[in-house]
Amino acid sequence: MTPEDIRIPVDGSALSGDLVLPSAGPVVVFAHGSGSSRHSPRNRAVAAELRRAGLGTLLLDLLTADEERTDLLTARFRFDIGLLSDRLVRAVDWLAAREDAAPMPVGVFGASTGAAAALRTAAERPGRVQAVVSRGGRPDLAGDSALRRVQAPVLLIVGGDDQEVLRLNREAAELLHVPNRVEVIPGATHLFEEPGALEEVARLAREWFLHPGSDGRWEER
């Protein structure tokens, strides 16, 4: 499937993305981590595995071109969870406005700080976001209130050797009122660069998006 080069209008500019729609949902929107973009090789590898399973994907830049240039020099935007969440919400709304995508369920895959944006988006759009997966994420940055309002099943994937992030994920999971799981990949560090680690992330994400939560099906909301 050849990705469609898309632009999502935002604040007088636009966010760039690569969209692949399946014949039938779900569509997984990717929220990259700090200092990354839709060209992240790790997210692209996970997205390719999801597409092989028949899922759609939207790899998206959460910053405009001007903002990315500023962020490279100053790191001004990469930890602005409010801004990143707002952009992700706009992407979910943009999909809902497309006739060919509106009927499809939406999942969100967040990495690093993108995980916080993914969870806030799930809290803001409970009728649209129906599954969330975090890879080496910082769900704690979403804030306690947002975590308690999430209605979609949540999978938190963490490397076994990423001890501080693992602690933060376990604490965040305690605040969730939905089916959730902290999945630890033994021997993996924060970027899952170890042999087989990223492949395991992709496998776990694929299964969660196909069968979110404990009931093995996409819930009708």
Side-chain angles (χ1 to χ4, degrees):
M1 294 179 284
T2 302
E4 176 188 350
D5 184 23
I6 61 102
R7 297 286 185 274
I8 299 176
V10 56
D11 301 330
S13 186
L15 306 178
S16 299
D18 301 323
L19 174 66
V20 175
L21 290 177
S23 56
V27 180
V28 178
V29 183
F30 281 73
H32 56 74
S34 56
S36 187
S37 73
R38 74 184 189 280
H39 300 297
S40 161
R42 285 175 287 275
N43 278 357
R44 295 184 82 84
V46 173
E49 177 61 26
L50 298 185
R51 290 194 295 270
R52 280 191 287 271
L55 285 76
T57 59
L58 173 56
L59 288 153
L60 181 70
D61 289 337
L62 295 179
L63 301 179
T64 67
D66 286 344
E67 289 168 344
E68 284 188 358
R69 284 190 287 270
T70 299
D71 190 68
L72 284 173
L73 296 173
T74 67
R76 174 182 172 187
F77 299 112
R78 64 186 63 183
F79 294 106
D80 188 338
I81 304 303
L83 174 67
L84 301 179
S85 303
D86 176 72
R87 298 291 171 76
L88 198 55
V89 166
R90 294 191 190 206
V92 170
D93 290 347
W94 180 85
L95 280 172
R98 278 184 60 131
E99 185 176 354
D100 56 355
M104 297 175 179
V106 172
V108 185
F109 182 98
S112 189
T113 52
L119 287 160
R120 280 201 188 181
T121 300
E124 293 297 322
R125 294 294 184 269
R128 286 291 292 162
V129 177
Q130 298 190 17
V132 177
V133 174
S134 162
R135 169 181 64 81
R138 290 291 308 275
D140 55 298
L141 296 178
D144 292 4
S145 175
L147 290 170
R148 292 189 178 99
R149 290 188 293 115
V150 171
Q151 295 185 29
V154 177
L155 175 64
L156 304 169
I157 307 173
V158 189
D161 289 351
D162 195 7
Q163 289 295 318
E164 179 62 14
V165 171
L166 178 56
R167 179 184 68 80
L168 292 169
N169 273 255
R170 284 175 168 158
E171 290 177 357
E174 292 294 321
L175 298 173
L176 294 168
H177 298 306
V178 292
N180 69 86
R181 189 166 84 239
V182 178
E183 188 73 40
V184 180
I185 298 183
T189 52
H190 187 62
L191 296 180
F192 299 90
E193 296 175 306
E194 295 72 25
L198 193 60
E199 289 81 1
E200 181 65 4
V201 169
R203 184 191 69 80
L204 290 166
R206 179 193 68 212
E207 293 305 311
W208 193 262
F209 285 125
L210 288 172
H211 310 293
S214 59
D215 63 359
R217 64 180 177 85
W218 284 89
E219 295 182 6
E220 297 295 333
R221 299 188 185 278

PDB file of all heavy atoms in Angstrom, residues 186-212:
ATOM      1  N   PRO A 186      12.067  -8.198  28.667  1.00  0.00           N
ATOM      2  CA  PRO A 186      13.309  -8.419  29.426  1.00  0.00           C
ATOM      3  C   PRO A 186      14.550  -8.025  28.618  1.00  0.00           C
ATOM      4  O   PRO A 186      14.653  -8.318  27.421  1.00  0.00           O
ATOM      5  CB  PRO A 186      13.285  -9.933  29.698  1.00  0.00           C
ATOM      6  CG  PRO A 186      11.843 -10.316  29.612  1.00  0.00           C
ATOM      7  CD  PRO A 186      11.258  -9.430  28.552  1.00  0.00           C
ATOM      8  N   GLY A 187      15.474  -7.356  29.292  1.00  0.00           N
ATOM      9  CA  GLY A 187      16.743  -7.006  28.670  1.00  0.00           C
ATOM     10  C   GLY A 187      16.704  -5.812  27.748  1.00  0.00           C
ATOM     11  O   GLY A 187      17.752  -5.382  27.250  1.00  0.00           O
ATOM     12  N   ALA A 188      15.534  -5.264  27.499  1.00  0.00           N
ATOM     13  CA  ALA A 188      15.423  -4.128  26.576  1.00  0.00           C
ATOM     14  C   ALA A 188      15.645  -2.820  27.308  1.00  0.00           C
ATOM     15  O   ALA A 188      15.247  -2.652  28.461  1.00  0.00           O
ATOM     16  CB  ALA A 188      14.055  -4.122  25.902  1.00  0.00           C
ATOM     17  N   THR A 189      16.276  -1.868  26.612  1.00  0.00           N
ATOM     18  CA  THR A 189      16.484  -0.534  27.155  1.00  0.00           C
ATOM     19  C   THR A 189      15.452   0.420  26.543  1.00  0.00           C
ATOM     20  O   THR A 189      14.525  -0.005  25.857  1.00  0.00           O
ATOM     21  CB  THR A 189      17.914  -0.061  26.877  1.00  0.00           C
ATOM     22  OG1 THR A 189      18.204  -0.215  25.488  1.00  0.00           O
ATOM     23  CG2 THR A 189      18.916  -0.867  27.694  1.00  0.00           C
ATOM     24  N   HIS A 190      15.629   1.718  26.759  1.00  0.00           N
ATOM     25  CA  HIS A 190      14.589   2.682  26.414  1.00  0.00           C
ATOM     26  C   HIS A 190      14.226   2.702  24.933  1.00  0.00           C
ATOM     27  O   HIS A 190      13.058   2.850  24.572  1.00  0.00           O
ATOM     28  CB  HIS A 190      15.029   4.079  26.852  1.00  0.00           C
ATOM     29  CG  HIS A 190      13.966   5.121  26.693  1.00  0.00           C
ATOM     30  ND1 HIS A 190      12.765   5.072  27.377  1.00  0.00           N
ATOM     31  CD2 HIS A 190      13.903   6.221  25.905  1.00  0.00           C
ATOM     32  CE1 HIS A 190      12.019   6.104  27.029  1.00  0.00           C
ATOM     33  NE2 HIS A 190      12.679   6.818  26.153  1.00  0.00           N
ATOM     34  N   LEU A 191      15.207   2.544  24.055  1.00  0.00           N
ATOM     35  CA  LEU A 191      14.953   2.628  22.615  1.00  0.00           C
ATOM     36  C   LEU A 191      14.707   1.263  21.974  1.00  0.00           C
ATOM     37  O   LEU A 191      14.536   1.180  20.757  1.00  0.00           O
ATOM     38  CB  LEU A 191      16.121   3.336  21.918  1.00  0.00           C
ATOM     39  CG  LEU A 191      16.327   4.799  22.311  1.00  0.00           C
ATOM     40  CD1 LEU A 191      17.516   5.383  21.549  1.00  0.00           C
ATOM     41  CD2 LEU A 191      15.070   5.628  22.051  1.00  0.00           C
ATOM     42  N   PHE A 192      14.725   0.195  22.765  1.00  0.00           N
ATOM     43  CA  PHE A 192      14.452  -1.163  22.257  1.00  0.00           C
ATOM     44  C   PHE A 192      15.382  -1.502  21.085  1.00  0.00           C
ATOM     45  O   PHE A 192      14.956  -2.049  20.067  1.00  0.00           O
ATOM     46  CB  PHE A 192      12.981  -1.283  21.827  1.00  0.00           C
ATOM     47  CG  PHE A 192      12.013  -1.048  22.952  1.00  0.00           C
ATOM     48  CD1 PHE A 192      11.527   0.217  23.223  1.00  0.00           C
ATOM     49  CD2 PHE A 192      11.603  -2.100  23.769  1.00  0.00           C
ATOM     50  CE1 PHE A 192      10.651   0.452  24.273  1.00  0.00           C
ATOM     51  CE2 PHE A 192      10.718  -1.879  24.823  1.00  0.00           C
ATOM     52  CZ  PHE A 192      10.249  -0.601  25.075  1.00  0.00           C
ATOM     53  N   GLU A 193      16.662  -1.184  21.267  1.00  0.00           N
ATOM     54  CA  GLU A 193      17.649  -1.428  20.211  1.00  0.00           C
ATOM     55  C   GLU A 193      18.222  -2.838  20.251  1.00  0.00           C
ATOM     56  O   GLU A 193      18.939  -3.239  19.334  1.00  0.00           O
ATOM     57  CB  GLU A 193      18.782  -0.402  20.329  1.00  0.00           C
ATOM     58  CG  GLU A 193      18.330   1.033  20.103  1.00  0.00           C
ATOM     59  CD  GLU A 193      19.423   2.046  20.350  1.00  0.00           C
ATOM     60  OE1 GLU A 193      20.017   2.020  21.450  1.00  0.00           O
ATOM     61  OE2 GLU A 193      19.688   2.861  19.442  1.00  0.00           O
ATOM     62  N   GLU A 194      17.920  -3.585  21.284  1.00  0.00           N
ATOM     63  CA  GLU A 194      18.450  -4.935  21.424  1.00  0.00           C
ATOM     64  C   GLU A 194      17.827  -5.871  20.388  1.00  0.00           C
ATOM     65  O   GLU A 194      16.682  -5.660  19.966  1.00  0.00           O
ATOM     66  CB  GLU A 194      18.184  -5.454  22.840  1.00  0.00           C
ATOM     67  CG  GLU A 194      18.914  -4.695  23.936  1.00  0.00           C
ATOM     68  CD  GLU A 194      18.352  -3.299  24.174  1.00  0.00           C
ATOM     69  OE1 GLU A 194      17.162  -3.072  23.867  1.00  0.00           O
ATOM     70  OE2 GLU A 194      19.098  -2.457  24.682  1.00  0.00           O
ATOM     71  N   PRO A 195      18.542  -6.917  19.953  1.00  0.00           N
ATOM     72  CA  PRO A 195      18.001  -7.844  18.951  1.00  0.00           C
ATOM     73  C   PRO A 195      16.646  -8.411  19.361  1.00  0.00           C
ATOM     74  O   PRO A 195      16.492  -8.942  20.463  1.00  0.00           O
ATOM     75  CB  PRO A 195      19.073  -8.943  18.881  1.00  0.00           C
ATOM     76  CG  PRO A 195      20.336  -8.258  19.298  1.00  0.00           C
ATOM     77  CD  PRO A 195      19.929  -7.257  20.347  1.00  0.00           C
ATOM     78  N   GLY A 196      15.682  -8.272  18.483  1.00  0.00           N
ATOM     79  CA  GLY A 196      14.351  -8.823  18.706  1.00  0.00           C
ATOM     80  C   GLY A 196      13.430  -7.971  19.548  1.00  0.00           C
ATOM     81  O   GLY A 196      12.218  -8.252  19.611  1.00  0.00           O
ATOM     82  N   ALA A 197      13.948  -6.911  20.197  1.00  0.00           N
ATOM     83  CA  ALA A 197      13.113  -6.125  21.114  1.00  0.00           C
ATOM     84  C   ALA A 197      12.032  -5.347  20.371  1.00  0.00           C
ATOM     85  O   ALA A 197      10.859  -5.349  20.762  1.00  0.00           O
ATOM     86  CB  ALA A 197      13.981  -5.172  21.944  1.00  0.00           C
ATOM     87  N   LEU A 198      12.412  -4.672  19.293  1.00  0.00           N
ATOM     88  CA  LEU A 198      11.424  -3.878  18.567  1.00  0.00           C
ATOM     89  C   LEU A 198      10.406  -4.772  17.870  1.00  0.00           C
ATOM     90  O   LEU A 198       9.219  -4.422  17.768  1.00  0.00           O
ATOM     91  CB  LEU A 198      12.111  -2.973  17.542  1.00  0.00           C
ATOM     92  CG  LEU A 198      11.228  -1.877  16.935  1.00  0.00           C
ATOM     93  CD1 LEU A 198      10.695  -0.939  18.006  1.00  0.00           C
ATOM     94  CD2 LEU A 198      11.988  -1.096  15.876  1.00  0.00           C
ATOM     95  N   GLU A 199      10.857  -5.930  17.419  1.00  0.00           N
ATOM     96  CA  GLU A 199       9.921  -6.883  16.812  1.00  0.00           C
ATOM     97  C   GLU A 199       8.871  -7.326  17.828  1.00  0.00           C
ATOM     98  O   GLU A 199       7.693  -7.510  17.481  1.00  0.00           O
ATOM     99  CB  GLU A 199      10.680  -8.099  16.265  1.00  0.00           C
ATOM    100  CG  GLU A 199      11.516  -7.819  15.038  1.00  0.00           C
ATOM    101  CD  GLU A 199      12.867  -7.173  15.350  1.00  0.00           C
ATOM    102  OE1 GLU A 199      13.157  -6.950  16.550  1.00  0.00           O
ATOM    103  OE2 GLU A 199      13.626  -6.901  14.404  1.00  0.00           O
ATOM    104  N   GLU A 200       9.289  -7.482  19.083  1.00  0.00           N
ATOM    105  CA  GLU A 200       8.335  -7.858  20.124  1.00  0.00           C
ATOM    106  C   GLU A 200       7.368  -6.710  20.412  1.00  0.00           C
ATOM    107  O   GLU A 200       6.174  -6.940  20.633  1.00  0.00           O
ATOM    108  CB  GLU A 200       9.080  -8.258  21.401  1.00  0.00           C
ATOM    109  CG  GLU A 200       8.194  -8.703  22.546  1.00  0.00           C
ATOM    110  CD  GLU A 200       7.416  -9.984  22.270  1.00  0.00           C
ATOM    111  OE1 GLU A 200       7.608 -10.599  21.199  1.00  0.00           O
ATOM    112  OE2 GLU A 200       6.610 -10.365  23.130  1.00  0.00           O
ATOM    113  N   VAL A 201       7.868  -5.472  20.388  1.00  0.00           N
ATOM    114  CA  VAL A 201       6.986  -4.308  20.531  1.00  0.00           C
ATOM    115  C   VAL A 201       5.914  -4.332  19.446  1.00  0.00           C
ATOM    116  O   VAL A 201       4.718  -4.142  19.717  1.00  0.00           O
ATOM    117  CB  VAL A 201       7.794  -2.995  20.449  1.00  0.00           C
ATOM    118  CG1 VAL A 201       6.845  -1.794  20.329  1.00  0.00           C
ATOM    119  CG2 VAL A 201       8.688  -2.832  21.659  1.00  0.00           C
ATOM    120  N   ALA A 202       6.333  -4.556  18.208  1.00  0.00           N
ATOM    121  CA  ALA A 202       5.394  -4.558  17.081  1.00  0.00           C
ATOM    122  C   ALA A 202       4.359  -5.667  17.229  1.00  0.00           C
ATOM    123  O   ALA A 202       3.167  -5.467  16.952  1.00  0.00           O
ATOM    124  CB  ALA A 202       6.156  -4.700  15.768  1.00  0.00           C
ATOM    125  N   ARG A 203       4.803  -6.838  17.672  1.00  0.00           N
ATOM    126  CA  ARG A 203       3.870  -7.966  17.848  1.00  0.00           C
ATOM    127  C   ARG A 203       2.832  -7.646  18.920  1.00  0.00           C
ATOM    128  O   ARG A 203       1.626  -7.876  18.725  1.00  0.00           O
ATOM    129  CB  ARG A 203       4.642  -9.229  18.226  1.00  0.00           C
ATOM    130  CG  ARG A 203       3.756 -10.478  18.338  1.00  0.00           C
ATOM    131  CD  ARG A 203       4.495 -11.639  18.961  1.00  0.00           C
ATOM    132  NE  ARG A 203       4.770 -11.415  20.370  1.00  0.00           N
ATOM    133  CZ  ARG A 203       3.865 -11.597  21.335  1.00  0.00           C
ATOM    134  NH1 ARG A 203       2.631 -11.981  21.049  1.00  0.00           N
ATOM    135  NH2 ARG A 203       4.195 -11.393  22.608  1.00  0.00           N
ATOM    136  N   LEU A 204       3.300  -7.113  20.043  1.00  0.00           N
ATOM    137  CA  LEU A 204       2.386  -6.787  21.139  1.00  0.00           C
ATOM    138  C   LEU A 204       1.405  -5.696  20.724  1.00  0.00           C
ATOM    139  O   LEU A 204       0.204  -5.775  21.031  1.00  0.00           O
ATOM    140  CB  LEU A 204       3.191  -6.331  22.353  1.00  0.00           C
ATOM    141  CG  LEU A 204       4.008  -7.411  23.054  1.00  0.00           C
ATOM    142  CD1 LEU A 204       5.013  -6.774  24.016  1.00  0.00           C
ATOM    143  CD2 LEU A 204       3.110  -8.386  23.802  1.00  0.00           C
ATOM    144  N   ALA A 205       1.899  -4.692  20.026  1.00  0.00           N
ATOM    145  CA  ALA A 205       1.026  -3.606  19.577  1.00  0.00           C
ATOM    146  C   ALA A 205      -0.019  -4.128  18.601  1.00  0.00           C
ATOM    147  O   ALA A 205      -1.206  -3.777  18.690  1.00  0.00           O
ATOM    148  CB  ALA A 205       1.857  -2.505  18.928  1.00  0.00           C
ATOM    149  N   ARG A 206       0.405  -4.958  17.671  1.00  0.00           N
ATOM    150  CA  ARG A 206      -0.528  -5.526  16.691  1.00  0.00           C
ATOM    151  C   ARG A 206      -1.661  -6.274  17.384  1.00  0.00           C
ATOM    152  O   ARG A 206      -2.842  -6.067  17.075  1.00  0.00           O
ATOM    153  CB  ARG A 206       0.238  -6.481  15.772  1.00  0.00           C
ATOM    154  CG  ARG A 206      -0.615  -7.158  14.707  1.00  0.00           C
ATOM    155  CD  ARG A 206       0.160  -8.305  14.089  1.00  0.00           C
ATOM    156  NE  ARG A 206       0.371  -9.379  15.047  1.00  0.00           N
ATOM    157  CZ  ARG A 206       1.449 -10.176  15.060  1.00  0.00           C
ATOM    158  NH1 ARG A 206       2.427 -10.011  14.180  1.00  0.00           N
ATOM    159  NH2 ARG A 206       1.551 -11.135  15.969  1.00  0.00           N
ATOM    160  N   GLU A 207      -1.313  -7.117  18.346  1.00  0.00           N
ATOM    161  CA  GLU A 207      -2.338  -7.907  19.030  1.00  0.00           C
ATOM    162  C   GLU A 207      -3.270  -7.021  19.840  1.00  0.00           C
ATOM    163  O   GLU A 207      -4.472  -7.278  19.919  1.00  0.00           O
ATOM    164  CB  GLU A 207      -1.674  -8.958  19.921  1.00  0.00           C
ATOM    165  CG  GLU A 207      -0.923 -10.031  19.149  1.00  0.00           C
ATOM    166  CD  GLU A 207      -1.807 -10.706  18.118  1.00  0.00           C
ATOM    167  OE1 GLU A 207      -2.932 -11.114  18.476  1.00  0.00           O
ATOM    168  OE2 GLU A 207      -1.384 -10.815  16.952  1.00  0.00           O
ATOM    169  N   TRP A 208      -2.726  -5.964  20.444  1.00  0.00           N
ATOM    170  CA  TRP A 208      -3.569  -5.089  21.259  1.00  0.00           C
ATOM    171  C   TRP A 208      -4.554  -4.299  20.402  1.00  0.00           C
ATOM    172  O   TRP A 208      -5.725  -4.150  20.749  1.00  0.00           O
ATOM    173  CB  TRP A 208      -2.713  -4.144  22.080  1.00  0.00           C
ATOM    174  CG  TRP A 208      -3.467  -3.430  23.166  1.00  0.00           C
ATOM    175  CD1 TRP A 208      -3.981  -2.166  23.127  1.00  0.00           C
ATOM    176  CD2 TRP A 208      -3.782  -3.927  24.469  1.00  0.00           C
ATOM    177  NE1 TRP A 208      -4.594  -1.843  24.316  1.00  0.00           N
ATOM    178  CE2 TRP A 208      -4.482  -2.917  25.162  1.00  0.00           C
ATOM    179  CE3 TRP A 208      -3.526  -5.144  25.120  1.00  0.00           C
ATOM    180  CZ2 TRP A 208      -4.937  -3.073  26.474  1.00  0.00           C
ATOM    181  CZ3 TRP A 208      -3.984  -5.294  26.423  1.00  0.00           C
ATOM    182  CH2 TRP A 208      -4.672  -4.273  27.079  1.00  0.00           C
ATOM    183  N   PHE A 209      -4.072  -3.794  19.266  1.00  0.00           N
ATOM    184  CA  PHE A 209      -4.965  -3.027  18.398  1.00  0.00           C
ATOM    185  C   PHE A 209      -6.018  -3.921  17.738  1.00  0.00           C
ATOM    186  O   PHE A 209      -7.149  -3.488  17.496  1.00  0.00           O
ATOM    187  CB  PHE A 209      -4.164  -2.274  17.335  1.00  0.00           C
ATOM    188  CG  PHE A 209      -3.441  -1.073  17.864  1.00  0.00           C
ATOM    189  CD1 PHE A 209      -2.077  -0.937  17.690  1.00  0.00           C
ATOM    190  CD2 PHE A 209      -4.124  -0.080  18.556  1.00  0.00           C
ATOM    191  CE1 PHE A 209      -1.396   0.170  18.184  1.00  0.00           C
ATOM    192  CE2 PHE A 209      -3.458   1.035  19.060  1.00  0.00           C
ATOM    193  CZ  PHE A 209      -2.095   1.154  18.876  1.00  0.00           C
ATOM    194  N   LEU A 210      -5.668  -5.168  17.474  1.00  0.00           N
ATOM    195  CA  LEU A 210      -6.649  -6.085  16.900  1.00  0.00           C
ATOM    196  C   LEU A 210      -7.634  -6.587  17.955  1.00  0.00           C
ATOM    197  O   LEU A 210      -8.811  -6.796  17.666  1.00  0.00           O
ATOM    198  CB  LEU A 210      -5.937  -7.279  16.254  1.00  0.00           C
ATOM    199  CG  LEU A 210      -5.186  -6.990  14.951  1.00  0.00           C
ATOM    200  CD1 LEU A 210      -4.374  -8.204  14.542  1.00  0.00           C
ATOM    201  CD2 LEU A 210      -6.156  -6.590  13.838  1.00  0.00           C
ATOM    202  N   HIS A 211      -7.152  -6.755  19.190  1.00  0.00           N
ATOM    203  CA  HIS A 211      -7.987  -7.299  20.278  1.00  0.00           C
ATOM    204  C   HIS A 211      -7.738  -6.495  21.552  1.00  0.00           C
ATOM    205  O   HIS A 211      -7.160  -7.002  22.515  1.00  0.00           O
ATOM    206  CB  HIS A 211      -7.653  -8.768  20.519  1.00  0.00           C
ATOM    207  CG  HIS A 211      -7.659  -9.601  19.277  1.00  0.00           C
ATOM    208  ND1 HIS A 211      -8.805  -9.861  18.564  1.00  0.00           N
ATOM    209  CD2 HIS A 211      -6.646 -10.205  18.604  1.00  0.00           C
ATOM    210  CE1 HIS A 211      -8.510 -10.613  17.520  1.00  0.00           C
ATOM    211  NE2 HIS A 211      -7.210 -10.821  17.503  1.00  0.00           N
ATOM    212  N   PRO A 212      -8.157  -5.241  21.599  1.00  0.00           N
ATOM    213  CA  PRO A 212      -7.851  -4.388  22.748  1.00  0.00           C
ATOM    214  C   PRO A 212      -8.553  -4.830  24.025  1.00  0.00           C
ATOM    215  O   PRO A 212      -9.675  -5.300  23.994  1.00  0.00           O
ATOM    216  CB  PRO A 212      -8.344  -3.003  22.309  1.00  0.00           C
ATOM    217  CG  PRO A 212      -9.393  -3.285  21.287  1.00  0.00           C
ATOM    218  CD  PRO A 212      -8.967  -4.532  20.590  1.00  0.00           C
TER     219      PRO A 212
END
